[in-house]
Amino acid sequence: MSDKKSSEKIIADLLGHIRLSKSFMAWMGILSVSLVVCLYAYFLQLRDGMVVTGLGDYVSWGMYISNFVFFVATSLIGMLISAVLSLLNQKWAAPLARIAEIIALAFAAVAGLVIVMDMGRPERLLNVFIHGRIQSPIVWDVTVVTIYVLISTLFLYIPLIPDLKICSEKLDKLPPFARKIYTLLSLNWKGTPEQHELIKKSTRALAIFIIPVALAIHTVTSWLFANTSRAGWDSTIFGPYFVTGAFVSGTAAVIIAMFVFRKSFKLNEYITDYHFDKIGKLLVLVSLVYLYFNLNEYMVPAYKMKRAEAFHIHELFAGSHAFMFWATQLLGLVIPIILLLFKPFRKPLPILVIALMVLIGSWFKRYIIVVPTMEHPFLPIQNVPLNFKIYTPTLIEIGVTIAPMIMVLLIVTVLSKVIPIIPIQETLDHASETEQK
Amino acid sequence: MIQKKNNIGIIAFVLLAFLVTAPLYARNWKSPDDQKDKKSYLKFDATTASQGEALYNANCASCHGTPGKNNSLKSLNPIPPDLSTKASQQLTDGELLYIVTNGAGLMPSFKNILSEEKEWLIISYLRGFNKEYVQQLSKFDPAKSKLVKLTTTFDKASQSIIIQAIANEKTGVVAIAGAEVSLFVKRYFGNFQVDKSVKTDAMGKATIAFPTDIPGDKTGKLNVLVKMFEANYGEVQKTDSFDIGIPTDKPALNEKRAIWNVVSKAPLWVIGLYSMGLISFLMLLAYLLLNLRKIFKS
């Protein structure tokens, strides 16, 4: 960080990844083929109906809604890193802001699709708009997710305007139509103080506004559960429990993205060990908060052991979901916290492995929140076959669940190939500031 | 030799087992003999069976399960039998009707829930599972019940409802004597029988005392149902309404604004908060778009 770099070099470095490389083509190829396979699974589901899944009258949400919660959760990171940390003047996070925003946008945009994939008759989504009751958390959810996607897009776009100008001017070997798009999107940017001021003001307004919206999207998601009287969901702390959990999975996702971008785009000078060390500490912080909420969430019902809750807790702690439960809690939360307390584990490679553990753990944690509760309702349905009560996802269902993950990777990959993933203008400003000092 | 001894042992065991468990097979209800031979006046065919299937699914399947699937509700004791089995099919039409009408042990009575015709429809459906069954129709002519005219009047002095049953025969009006009449008040779910069933006198009249404490609607209106049964004329029903209940004015739960109500009756605070959120977003959007325009113009 300390060694001086000419602005020419900075621009060249940070624009370096915006070109079509062979490895990019190969990666896109792999993603597209996998997506086609998964979409075929979805086609089967559309053609034959939800019977092709393991969902039934008992577990009607299953993997799909776990996936939805996971997506919404991960998308919250945009708000934490780009808004909260920048408002708190945490300068170290500035180069990571765009990565976080890209991840947030990709996950939020796809989250809506995940819900649609859980519907046997997706065209009935329109009914939410035609017949929706504004008392229903589903309507709040649809509203707030849409708003979050829009705001995240703006939050990505507005600070990007100066960089788009740089792209249109400095990128060589650019097809004319692409250059036109960059010019168009950069809105006559000339770098006047007035323009700078406008960007600054708008970004700030967004940074402030995105905080309640992000809190709202995940709180509302949690209300979809907590507003239902079910053992395991009937909880007053579900909102903060979900939000803190969201920061854990989002931070892990950003760490993975940082590692991959740094490696494949040769950004070692811009995303340094220092950043990994810092974000490692951030991960410890958010994980600790989440651990605290976990403690509350299980301690209180487990102390009282009300009949239905007792059964639920038993299923998680020692029953049929015990393995997954303890695996997610230990491998996805406790062990990462302990390891990350030590500096060597906050080096890029170890922290990558830990972040992968955390992210996978986060996915299964959502599964643990959704499925066991659905398996034992207060009023069991009479005369149902055993396979209704024990949920086992089918292969097709797994395919449909993976599809949105591939979409996220596609969106992130494509965005990383058309826009600089480290804010150029900000890096330049920062460099000139340090020079003046 | 040893072989033979064994066989005797097995036979003895089976016999003993049968003796011990025999009481379990015995039915713990008994229909009166005149009911046993009762026959349906409806001819059972595919249409009656499919009408009966719907009724069966709505009223019986929760306990008895789907006939032939052996999926009746196992948590009851005795377990409700699968009605397609031989044991149940051996019952006469009259016995089936009697059980459904009056109930048996845990099995509830459907007297106030299903009309006789509907019960026959269900039986028609059940008989479809029995290949050996041959229907014997009753000689009863359902057209006769069309001749019956029931009148209900409320007599304030004696606080009772007077029911009169007459038939417009070709030969002239005749009073129906000795018919069984029952009086019900209509409730949200099913009917509530008032007092016991009584027989009409020589004038075709019957009097049933009416309680003073039954809650009615805002004006105290009560809907009553009178059922008459007579061997010749069959079952006849009539509904009527009288202002003889206690006026009760409980607003329905969906009349006021509430979380569970339709959109137009959403609570104001929900509408307020939701719109505030939406409006502040739109304001932000307008502000940002304006800024973008300024950037573009400058």
Side-chain angles (χ1 to χ4, degrees):
Chain A
M1 286 292 283
S2 51
D3 54 332
K4 270 182 253 157
K5 284 180 276 238
S6 73
S7 47
E8 281 309 309
K9 181 170 157 31
I10 292 178
I11 292 176
D13 281 352
L14 296 184
L15 285 181
H17 61 87
I18 307 184
R19 70 193 146 78
L20 305 181
S21 60
K22 272 208 189 97
S23 54
F24 166 72
M25 290 309 207
W27 172 237
M28 285 297 279
I30 296 172
L31 286 182
S32 313
V33 171
S34 333
L35 185 65
V36 168
V37 172
C38 292
L39 287 183
Y40 178 68
Y42 182 61
F43 163 73
L44 291 182
Q45 176 181 313
L46 271 187
R47 193 190 63 188
D48 301 340
M50 301 299 274
V51 277
V52 301
T53 69
L55 300 168
D57 289 12
Y58 265 73
V59 181
S60 54
W61 283 359
M63 244 182 169
Y64 292 163
I65 298 299
S66 320
N67 213 25
F68 168 70
V69 178
F70 173 77
F71 273 65
V72 175
T74 312
S75 78
L76 247 60
I77 192 59
M79 164 278 234
L80 179 68
I81 291 192
S82 328
V84 175
L85 293 188
S86 86
L87 289 176
L88 291 177
N89 238 341
Q90 294 285 317
K91 286 264 157 51
W92 65 268
L96 308 179
R98 190 158 296 153
I99 297 181
E101 262 319 301
I102 289 176
I103 287 185
L105 179 61
F107 274 97
V110 177
L113 279 183
V114 180
I115 282 265
V116 178
M117 287 177 154
D118 185 41
M119 300 173 64
R121 298 280 302 270
E123 79 279 7
R124 292 196 181 164
L125 180 70
L126 286 178
N127 286 354
V128 175
F129 301 100
I130 304 171
H131 306 293
R133 294 164 57 252
I134 76 167
Q135 299 99 306
S136 160
I138 284 286
V139 170
W140 309 340
D141 207 46
V142 170
T143 314
V144 96
V145 169
T146 316
I147 291 183
Y148 188 68
V149 172
L150 289 174
I151 290 197
S152 294
T153 315
L154 287 169
F155 204 23
L156 180 66
Y157 171 61
I158 292 182
L160 188 67
I161 293 173
D163 288 8
L164 288 171
K165 184 73 183 177
I166 297 176
C167 283
S168 82
E169 278 174 355
K170 298 281 157 78
L171 277 177
D172 39 3
K173 283 188 267 164
L174 204 60
F177 81 92
R179 197 176 300 281
K180 244 195 195 125
I181 295 177
Y182 280 124
T183 320
L184 212 67
L185 286 177
S186 62
L187 296 182
N188 262 339
W189 176 263
K190 294 190 204 74
T192 61
E194 193 199 348
Q195 283 179 325
H196 272 292
E197 189 57 27
L198 282 166
I199 295 257
K200 210 171 146 195
K201 270 190 187 160
S202 309
T203 314
R204 201 172 165 80
L206 272 168
I208 292 170
F209 197 82
I210 203 169
I211 295 173
V213 174
L215 286 179
I217 90 171
H218 217 36
T219 308
V220 170
T221 310
S222 87
W223 286 346
L224 296 180
F225 297 86
N227 283 358
T228 314
S229 182
R230 281 290 192 92
W233 295 346
D234 190 3
S235 155
T236 55
I237 61 159
F238 245 44
Y241 176 53
F242 269 42
V243 170
T244 49
F247 293 155
V248 175
S249 67
T251 311
V254 168
I255 293 175
I256 296 167
M258 280 163 67
F259 187 90
V260 174
F261 286 149
R262 174 175 125 126
K263 187 115 195 146
S264 48
F265 298 164
K266 310 206 172 49
L267 296 171
N268 296 28
E269 288 172 40
Y270 300 87
I271 305 176
T272 60
D273 284 11
Y274 166 76
H275 293 109
F276 281 98
D277 186 67
K278 276 287 200 184
I279 201 164
K281 287 180 184 162
L282 180 70
L283 184 54
V284 173
L285 174 71
V286 292
S287 299
L288 278 175
V289 180
Y290 189 45
L291 186 67
Y292 163 73
F293 274 103
N294 267 283
L295 205 69
N296 267 281
E297 190 47 35
Y298 295 111
M299 166 67 195
V300 174
Y303 190 86
K304 292 182 284 195
M305 281 291 184
K306 288 190 278 187
R307 208 181 137 99
E309 303 274 349
F311 187 69
H312 178 69
I313 297 270
H314 184 268
E315 282 288 286
L316 295 187
F317 285 14
S320 53
H321 294 286
F323 177 74
M324 199 190 279
F325 176 79
W326 290 114
T328 54
Q329 296 291 30
L330 296 177
L331 295 174
L333 197 57
V334 177
I335 295 176
I337 294 178
I338 297 174
L339 292 182
L340 287 176
L341 289 177
F342 300 99
K343 200 172 170 95
F345 285 102
R346 297 197 297 268
K347 291 252 171 274
L349 192 63
I351 203 178
L352 170 76
V353 177
I354 294 174
L356 280 169
M357 272 163 59
V358 172
L359 195 69
I360 295 170
S362 296
W363 193 91
F364 281 100
K365 177 71 204 232
R366 304 304 181 283
Y367 187 95
I368 282 287
I369 292 176
V370 175
V371 173
T373 291
M374 294 209 98
E375 281 182 351
H376 35 261
F378 283 129
L379 281 178
I381 311 170
Q382 291 169 354
N383 296 327
V384 289
L386 188 68
N387 66 353
F388 271 45
K389 298 187 193 173
I390 298 168
Y391 168 65
T392 5
T394 61
L395 205 62
I396 292 184
E397 204 174 348
I398 295 174
V400 177
T401 305
I402 293 176
M405 304 184 184
I406 300 175
M407 288 182 202
V408 163
L409 289 178
L410 273 172
I411 295 178
V412 173
T413 312
V414 169
L415 281 179
S416 74
K417 279 290 161 185
V418 295
I419 59 174
I421 59 151
I422 293 193
I424 301 181
Q425 189 64 47
E426 260 191 82
T427 316
L428 291 175
D429 294 349
H430 188 71
S432 62
E433 255 170 49
T434 38
E435 216 158 289
Q436 276 161 18
K437 271 182 198 162
Chain B
M1 243 354 233
I2 296 167
Q3 190 73 30
K4 203 166 190 182
K5 227 182 197 167
N6 258 353
N7 281 348
I8 293 173
I10 289 172
I11 292 170
F13 176 77
V14 169
L15 268 179
L16 193 71
F18 187 74
L19 278 179
V20 170
T21 53
L24 293 182
Y25 295 112
R27 302 184 193 288
N28 46 7
W29 49 264
K30 200 160 164 29
S31 52
D33 288 341
D34 61 327
Q35 296 292 318
K36 190 171 170 180
D37 298 328
K38 189 162 177 184
K39 295 181 182 71
S40 164
Y41 52 83
L42 284 179
K43 182 156 169 36
F44 296 168
D45 56 24
T47 333
T48 58
S50 78
Q51 284 173 303
E53 179 174 6
L55 289 165
Y56 178 90
N57 289 337
N59 294 287
C60 325
S62 56
C63 290
H64 287 280
T66 320
K69 291 269 158 66
N70 191 27
N71 57 356
S72 53
L73 190 56
K74 303 286 187 298
S75 54
L76 290 185
N77 182 17
I79 294 175
D82 183 330
L83 299 175
S84 69
T85 57
K86 209 159 181 181
S88 298
Q89 290 288 345
Q90 266 168 2
L91 298 164
T92 66
D93 291 349
E95 284 172 319
L96 287 174
L97 185 78
Y98 183 82
I99 298 170
V100 181
T101 312
N102 297 293
L106 268 186
M107 152 119 181
S109 151
F110 283 86
K111 197 186 214 155
N112 300 340
I113 299 170
L114 297 171
S115 64
E116 181 178 334
E117 187 190 346
K118 286 188 175 157
E119 293 179 0
W120 283 128
L121 290 173
I122 294 178
I123 293 167
S124 156
Y125 165 64
L126 292 175
R127 287 306 193 194
F129 295 94
N130 182 354
K131 295 218 175 59
E132 281 141 42
Y133 174 77
V134 188
Q135 188 187 12
Q136 286 179 300
L137 271 171
S138 111
K139 303 230 164 43
F140 170 76
D141 172 11
K144 280 210 85 154
S145 62
K146 301 238 159 63
L147 307 176
V148 176
K149 187 162 180 281
L150 288 174
T151 45
T152 40
T153 42
F154 179 68
D155 179 43
K156 207 158 188 173
S158 61
Q159 177 70 27
S160 52
I161 285 191
I162 300 165
I163 300 157
Q164 184 172 34
I166 54 170
N168 293 312
E169 294 282 359
K170 274 185 216 117
T171 52
V173 177
V174 291
I176 306 176
E180 189 180 274
V181 286
S182 333
L183 176 69
F184 302 89
V185 174
K186 290 207 162 184
R187 303 273 84 178
Y188 275 126
F189 301 102
N191 303 319
F192 168 73
Q193 185 168 13
V194 176
D195 213 343
K196 296 213 175 63
S197 306
V198 291
K199 294 245 151 121
T200 50
D201 61 13
M203 305 283 294
K205 275 194 178 174
T207 308
I208 295 176
F210 199 84
T212 52
D213 56 354
I214 295 189
D217 69 2
K218 271 182 214 160
T219 58
K221 193 173 90 178
L222 283 178
N223 292 316
V224 299
L225 169 74
V226 176
K227 268 193 197 173
M228 183 211 83
F229 179 78
E230 205 268 345
N232 265 320
Y233 294 99
E235 191 181 275
V236 182
Q237 298 191 359
K238 179 175 190 266
T239 52
D240 222 328
S241 62
F242 298 102
D243 284 339
I244 51 177
I246 300 174
T248 12
D249 189 9
K250 285 214 182 102
L253 283 176
N254 61 0
E255 247 166 47
K256 292 205 179 124
R257 292 186 176 278
I259 280 283
W260 57 80
N261 223 328
V262 290
V263 198
S264 56
K265 289 184 182 170
L268 290 174
W269 62 267
V270 172
I271 301 178
L273 284 180
Y274 184 87
S275 338
M276 262 162 58
L278 218 56
I279 290 171
S280 35
F281 167 65
L282 291 176
M283 277 162 58
L284 174 84
L285 202 63
Y287 170 73
L288 292 175
L289 291 179
L290 221 66
N291 277 358
L292 289 180
R293 213 180 95 103
K294 276 190 206 154
I295 293 179
F296 186 69
K297 286 272 145 96
S298 70

